[in-house]
Amino acid sequence: MSIKSKIAIAFGSVIGAVVGVAVGTLIAPRSGAETRAMAADAMNDAWDSAVDTYERGASKVGEKIGSVRPSVDATTDDLRAKVDLARERMDKLRESLSDAVATTSAQVSDAVSAVTDKVVSVEEAVADQMSTEAEGVQVEAVEDETPADAAE
């Protein structure tokens, strides 16, 4: 939209407002004071109607909230109870798991010690046995003659 058309629209609006005020003043059936009083009465009536509508709406909303609140409170209490119960169960599980880990750790440690002791005793037995068998054995070094050495 060009500037000229914007100016034309603004100028036309101003001219229309001026003409409307002039025509209204000339053909008004009442005096200005009476018209202002009627306008004020109409505005007061509209305001009172709006306030009444607001108060009725606020009352209905309050009633609805009042009727819903007990069920919301009951649901909230149920959820809190369930959360507390779940926490108690988690604590019990955590304790039992901790006990099971400690017991299993002790059993594994005992089993490792027992296996280590058995391995050590088997090693000692094997070492004793090997030294006993080697006492009666003599080792003799023999030179290996290859066919090339025999031909010479």
Side-chain angles (χ1 to χ4, degrees):
M1 189 182 273
S2 70
I3 293 176
K4 286 183 180 181
S5 61
K6 289 180 183 179
I7 292 173
I9 290 173
F11 184 70
S13 298
V14 170
I15 295 295
V18 169
V19 169
V21 169
V23 170
T25 304
L26 292 175
I27 63 170
R30 294 174 187 79
S31 68
E34 287 179 28
T35 304
R36 285 190 297 275
M38 286 178 57
D41 287 344
M43 289 300 293
N44 286 337
D45 290 344
W47 180 259
D48 290 342
S49 174
V51 168
D52 289 344
T53 303
Y54 171 78
E55 288 174 353
R56 275 186 265 128
S59 173
K60 286 183 181 180
V61 168
E63 290 172 7
K64 293 292 181 181
I65 289 174
S67 68
V68 172
R69 182 172 290 289
S71 66
V72 169
D73 289 343
T75 303
T76 302
D77 292 342
D78 289 344
L79 288 175
R80 284 188 180 133
K82 288 178 181 179
V83 166
D84 290 341
L85 181 63
R87 284 183 180 151
E88 289 175 12
R89 287 181 181 170
M90 289 299 294
D91 290 341
K92 287 180 182 178
L93 285 172
R94 191 176 299 122
E95 289 175 12
S96 66
L97 182 60
S98 177
D99 293 344
V101 167
T103 303
T104 305
S105 176
Q107 290 173 349
V108 167
S109 178
D110 292 344
V112 167
S113 296
V115 168
T116 302
D117 292 344
K118 285 185 180 183
V119 168
V120 168
S121 65
V122 168
E123 281 181 341
E124 290 173 354
V126 168
D128 287 346
Q129 194 176 29
M130 290 192 63
S131 66
T132 306
E133 290 177 9
E135 289 177 5
V137 176
Q138 291 184 349
V139 177
E140 206 174 295
V142 179
E143 288 188 28
D144 186 22
E145 290 186 28
T146 59
D149 290 338
E152 292 180 17

